[in-house]
Amino acid sequence: MSLSIKDDEIDIVIGALRPDLTSFMNEWRTIFSRFHLIIVKDPDLKEELKIPEGLNLDVYKKPDIDRVVGTSTSTIFSGYSCRYFGYLVSRKKYIISVDDDCYPAKDNKGILVDAVAQHITNLTTPATPFFFNTLYDPFTEGADFVRGYPFSLRSGVQCALSCGLWLNLADYDAPTQALKPEERNSRYVDAVLTVPARTLMPISGINIAFNREVIGPALLPSLRLGGEGKFRWETMEDIWSGMCVKVVCDHLGLGVKTGMPYVWRNDRGDAIASLRKEWEGVKLMEEVVPFFQSVRLSREATTTEDCVAEVANVVKEQLGSKDPMFARAAKAMVDWVKLWKSVGSSTSSPGA
Amino acid sequence: MNEPATAIEAAVAASPLHQLKDELDIVIPTIRNLDFLEMWRPFLQPYHLIIVQDGDPSKTIKVPNGFDYELYNRNDINRILGPKASCISFKDSACRCFGYMVSKKKYIFTIDDDCFVAKDPSGKAINALEQHIKNLLSPSTPFFFNTLYDPFADGADFVRGYPFSLREGVPTAVSHGLWLNIPDYDAPTQLVKPLERNTRFVDAVLTIPKGTLFPMCGMNLAFDRQLIGPAMYFGLMGEGQPIGRYDDMWAGWCIKVICDHLGLGVKTGLPYIYHSKASNPFVNLRKEYKGIYWQEDIIPFFQQVVLPKDSTSVQKCYIELAKQVKEKLGKIDPYFDKLADAMVTWIQAWDGLNPTSASFSNGKIG
């Protein structure tokens, strides 16, 4: 870690979509044990959670969620969106979140990857969104800015979001995985890079970390597919949230990094079975991407909450009439900002 | 003289990618010798070389046996271009772009004479040209970033959320390779970190997104000459010029703006070569000094350049760019006035030597 980060500045938020977290917690124990964990149980999950002893954690279940936000609001936290409740109630500066079917990966030297340490390194070293460095992260050991990189851009900007990757089961959509059922990602790319400003990408929620103080309200549960299910192939909520986050970061001059750390994602589910459910999401992206590419926020939007509210407005105006799902998403974003202001901790500091 | 092929060479020659041997030229600028080609022989011998000899034209450059080549020294450049030879730098590797101009092939691979074959982490020798060809022959994806990097690589694909309408990609115009060992640092960085070596093998190729500029290094570079060749002018450097070591940078900013405008792709990442020679940082500092200041203005200029919709060919884009360089950068230093003129001269020279391409329209308007 490049700055001395106190372990108590970090929350690890896990959305539990399956009840038995025993092997998950045991596999992650050596990496997680120093930190406080927030486990949020999918309100739709009926079985009791099984969590091994010896970890410093708080567990939130449906009754807890109902108590904090009210029973009518708690439905927004169904499925993979349950983790957002963890983001809401956390009081820490940094949040790291991985799906409950992911385990620590090994790098190409066979060494276990400390995903938490890598995410924190990513978040606490500057990002460089305004000019591409061909040797990737210039703040990494053994690397630097290359010839031709303007000196005025070398201090970089604050990194607000760190997007990790996945070995084994990559985050493909259902059609892709169904076409290549045996394909597994075995390529360990030893790099972290900043996603350039104004460049959008699909931000997967499977393995991410962020600076909650700076960007917290922009990670939000809002777009819910009609047939949203309990496999990532059946959701687009994180992709939608990620587009909002990137637009907000670009506007506020914050950085987003992608690359390491890797996690090992277990085989789960059946892509072909999920095809029908996610097709809806696949079609949506044809509208969603050009839309977000065109969004421009106003000069007056200087805080993350303001930015989210503005995006919500534009979503309502430009996409709302195309599909009721978008209209609902816009409303959910507005509601989220209100919820964040009332339940979330002190408001985020104004953007850089 | 041709040695009998070894088993490796025979296997390499039989590789399907060697079909491009009639469509690709290798351009090498040199002032000393070409001994480095010995190490590259198994991978590069099937290809035609264009050697641009910089410096003293009376010196003889020895080319290793078995390579098919044409060689141009300064006298040749002056003879072929006449007064237009003024746009070709002297005493700087920027002169290599003359090789791009005289080539008749579709693809160019250019490499410095201190770049050797690198090894991947498994110890296998990297056929850099083969990887460049793969990069150029598969589409780029500049409109949306794929988090698993090149979706056309073996074992990779587009990730969830990537719109299907963008999955065909666009033609790749440039493939920018990297360097192990001596990294391409500027003089100040070299002075501060003289011992730093790049040992990190990053197993990825990625498309540089539209709207994003990058520092293009000419040490290990390949491009589609028909798609972007006229924009690969390496500027006025070296003798009689106030600046050096910005030739490839200048070309890189120009080609990226034009590729973005025409809807063409630029890739970076693999292949790696092994860069063996660290140039003298004090010499470099003197060459780069002005560039380090000027790039603070040059970069915003390129970031804000807008090319008109009717600039539908590379040449038209480039002439328009030259106009804007003169208007907007001319006030920084008279050098940019000269450079803008040289850019126009370059296009005239290019069209003169490549008459059929003069009206060639590339890609679609971005």
Side-chain angles (χ1 to χ4, degrees):
Chain A
M1 305 194 186
S2 64
L3 304 181
S4 57
I5 302 296
K6 298 197 212 59
D7 295 347
D8 64 5
E9 287 185 276
I10 298 166
D11 262 337
I12 299 179
V13 174
I14 307 294
L17 271 72
R18 286 146 346 125
D20 191 350
L21 295 179
T22 313
S23 61
F24 174 86
M25 288 299 174
N26 285 334
E27 293 287 332
W28 283 103
R29 189 182 289 276
T30 50
I31 294 169
F32 282 178
S33 59
R34 289 156 56 195
F35 305 103
H36 176 248
L37 276 68
I38 293 179
I39 317 284
V40 185
K41 182 182 172 197
D42 175 5
D44 302 332
L45 190 61
K46 300 286 177 269
E47 298 99 301
E48 282 302 309
L49 284 185
K50 266 171 72 185
I51 302 173
E53 297 287 314
L55 291 157
N56 171 16
L57 46 80
D58 285 307
V59 183
Y60 295 89
K61 303 175 202 167
K62 187 169 187 320
D64 306 304
I65 301 174
D66 288 342
R67 184 176 31 87
V68 173
V69 303
T71 42
S72 53
T73 307
S74 66
T75 52
I76 66 173
F77 298 114
S78 145
Y80 280 101
S81 296
C82 61
R83 60 170 59 186
Y84 295 108
F85 181 80
Y87 304 166
L88 187 67
V89 298
S90 166
R91 292 291 176 265
K92 302 290 171 64
K93 181 166 181 183
Y94 301 103
I95 291 194
I96 293 159
S97 213
V98 296
D99 277 5
D100 63 2
D101 55 2
C102 293
Y103 287 178
K106 288 203 171 103
D107 68 16
N108 46 20
K109 295 191 177 79
I111 299 172
L112 206 68
V113 171
D114 184 342
V116 173
Q118 183 65 58
H119 273 307
I120 294 299
T121 299
N122 293 350
L123 290 172
T124 54
T125 51
T128 50
F130 303 120
F131 201 71
F132 190 88
N133 192 47
T134 48
L135 280 187
Y136 313 108
D137 184 358
F139 299 99
T140 279
E141 197 65 48
D144 211 310
F145 291 97
V146 296
R147 175 174 58 99
Y149 204 105
F151 277 78
S152 62
L153 294 180
R154 294 193 189 196
S155 27
V157 298
Q158 187 172 28
C159 180
L161 185 72
S162 165
C163 308
L165 294 172
W166 344 270
L167 289 174
N168 192 49
L169 199 69
D171 191 15
Y172 291 147
D173 53 44
T176 305
Q177 192 75 72
L179 265 176
K180 300 174 166 186
E182 306 307 312
E183 181 144 299
R184 297 292 179 271
N185 185 26
S186 55
R187 182 186 296 251
Y188 186 94
V189 178
D190 184 11
V192 176
L193 59 137
T194 298
V195 184
R198 289 180 324 277
T199 294
L200 296 180
M201 68 197 236
I203 293 180
S204 165
I206 294 173
N207 171 18
I208 55 165
F210 59 99
N211 183 325
R212 188 185 172 280
E213 279 177 12
V214 155
I215 203 71
L219 281 98
L220 37 65
S222 67
L223 187 86
R224 187 178 288 279
L225 296 182
E228 185 180 281
K230 308 297 186 187
F231 296 95
R232 280 289 184 194
W233 287 315
E234 299 168 352
T235 70
M236 277 291 174
E237 58 85 14
D238 51 346
I239 306 297
W240 173 272
S241 170
M243 302 285 267
C244 298
V245 176
K246 185 58 165 63
V247 163
V248 172
C249 283
D250 285 349
H251 179 76
L252 296 178
L254 299 167
V256 173
K257 291 184 184 176
T258 186
M260 301 190 294
Y262 281 84
V263 295
W264 177 274
R265 187 161 175 249
N266 282 329
D267 286 304
R268 195 167 86 86
D270 177 354
I272 296 175
S274 293
L275 261 178
R276 239 187 328 139
K277 287 191 178 180
E278 205 214 355
W279 192 243
E280 197 189 0
V282 163
K283 272 197 306 177
L284 273 186
M285 290 309 291
E286 299 298 332
E287 296 269 16
V288 168
V289 169
F291 166 75
F292 277 105
Q293 283 173 334
S294 70
V295 168
R296 297 284 179 268
L297 301 177
S298 73
R299 265 191 220 282
E300 289 75 41
T302 54
T303 66
T304 305
E305 288 94 332
D306 287 349
C307 290
V308 175
E310 262 191 33
V311 174
N313 218 28
V314 187
V315 169
K316 183 169 156 213
E317 282 170 9
Q318 292 182 16
L319 292 179
S321 49
K322 296 193 180 178
D323 192 313
M325 200 183 310
F326 292 128
R328 282 194 293 272
K331 178 164 188 315
M333 291 171 75
V334 171
D335 291 344
W336 178 258
V337 173
K338 292 195 191 118
L339 194 58
W340 188 275
K341 285 181 176 163
S342 68
V343 176
S345 68
S346 51
T347 53
S348 60
S349 47
Chain B
M1 188 192 85
N2 290 307
E3 307 272 317
T6 62
I8 298 169
E9 286 162 284
V12 161
S15 133
L17 288 170
H18 272 285
Q19 288 166 10
L20 280 193
K21 68 178 168 61
D22 297 324
E23 296 179 70
L24 185 143
D25 274 337
I26 302 178
V27 172
I28 306 169
T30 189
I31 203 156
R32 30 187 172 236
N33 62 61
L34 294 170
D35 294 347
F36 85 114
L37 280 175
E38 278 304 337
M39 197 190 187
W40 285 102
R41 191 184 283 278
F43 299 139
L44 301 190
Q45 190 168 326
Y47 297 89
H48 179 73
L49 311 180
I50 295 180
I51 297 158
V52 184
Q53 178 184 344
D54 197 15
D56 181 2
S58 66
K59 189 170 170 203
T60 307
I61 302 288
K62 211 170 144 297
V63 184
N65 285 328
F67 282 96
D68 173 48
Y69 70 95
E70 55 198 277
L71 184 146
Y72 300 92
N73 61 27
R74 191 70 206 186
N75 295 338
D76 300 313
I77 296 172
N78 290 337
R79 176 178 45 84
I80 293 170
L81 293 185
K84 296 197 175 65
S86 59
C87 74
I88 303 295
S89 304
F90 185 55
K91 295 234 178 113
D92 193 285
S93 64
C95 64
R96 76 176 79 209
C97 62
F98 178 78
Y100 308 159
M101 196 194 275
V102 298
S103 166
K104 300 281 172 267
K105 303 285 174 57
K106 181 160 160 66
Y107 302 100
I108 298 276
F109 170 47
T110 185
I111 185 171
D112 278 13
D113 61 10
D114 58 356
C115 293
F116 292 82
V117 176
K119 290 202 168 85
D120 71 18
S122 75
K124 183 170 161 235
I126 299 170
N127 184 342
L129 181 52
E130 184 179 70
Q131 181 67 52
H132 275 304
I133 290 171
K134 266 197 204 143
N135 293 348
L136 290 171
L137 294 184
S138 60
S140 294
T141 51
F143 304 122
F144 202 60
F145 189 86
N146 193 46
T147 47
L148 277 187
Y149 313 109
D150 183 1
F152 301 100
D154 275 323
D157 212 309
F158 291 96
V159 296
R160 177 174 57 102
Y162 206 104
F164 274 78
S165 61
L166 293 180
R167 294 193 189 196
E168 249 183 54
V170 297
T172 302
V174 179
S175 166
H176 177 263
L178 296 174
W179 346 273
L180 291 172
N181 195 45
I182 309 285
D184 189 27
Y185 288 161
D186 53 43
T189 309
Q190 275 182 295
L191 285 165
V192 167
K193 295 177 163 188
L195 300 177
E196 184 147 283
R197 299 289 176 264
N198 185 24
T199 55
R200 182 183 294 250
F201 182 91
V202 178
D203 186 9
V205 177
L206 58 136
T207 299
I208 302 182
K210 180 177 175 176
T212 299
L213 293 177
F214 76 115
M216 184 178 84
C217 173
M219 258 197 267
N220 171 20
L221 183 71
F223 58 94
D224 184 324
R225 205 176 147 274
Q226 281 174 8
L227 286 182
I228 200 64
M232 275 290 185
Y233 174 48
F234 271 38
L236 289 173
M237 306 280 146
E239 186 168 275
Q241 308 299 342
I243 188 176
R245 283 171 57 85
Y246 271 84
D247 50 336
D248 41 5
M249 297 298 137
W250 182 262
W253 299 325
C254 292
I255 61 99
K256 188 57 166 60
V257 162
I258 293 175
C259 283
D260 285 352
H261 177 78
L262 295 178
L264 300 169
V266 175
K267 292 183 181 174
T268 186
L270 303 177
Y272 282 90
I273 49 86
Y274 185 92
H275 184 210
S276 67
K277 248 180 131 133
S279 38
N280 183 308
F282 297 100
V283 170
N284 289 344
L285 187 55
R286 254 186 293 131
K287 291 181 184 176
E288 291 173 6
Y289 173 76
K290 292 230 160 96
I292 287 174
Y293 283 97
W294 287 346
Q295 71 192 3
E296 297 296 334
D297 288 305
I298 296 173
I299 305 273
F301 163 76
F302 278 103
Q303 283 172 333
Q304 288 153 32
V305 159
V306 175
L307 296 172
K309 274 208 205 298
D310 61 6
S311 296
T312 51
S313 72
V314 177
Q315 286 91 330
K316 285 200 190 126
C317 288
Y318 203 74
I319 297 289
E320 176 61 35
L321 203 52
K323 231 172 58 186
Q324 296 192 29
V325 167
K326 199 180 257 264
E327 275 167 27
K328 306 211 173 106
L329 294 179
K331 42 179 120 87
I332 298 174
D333 193 279
Y335 168 75
F336 291 100
D337 249 346
K338 264 177 42 181
L339 180 58
D341 289 339
M343 289 167 75
V344 174
T345 305
W346 159 267
I347 293 294
Q348 290 166 352
W350 180 286
D351 284 347
L353 287 178
N354 300 280
T356 51
S357 81
S359 52
F360 187 72
S361 251
N362 298 298
K364 55 187 185 349
I365 302 169

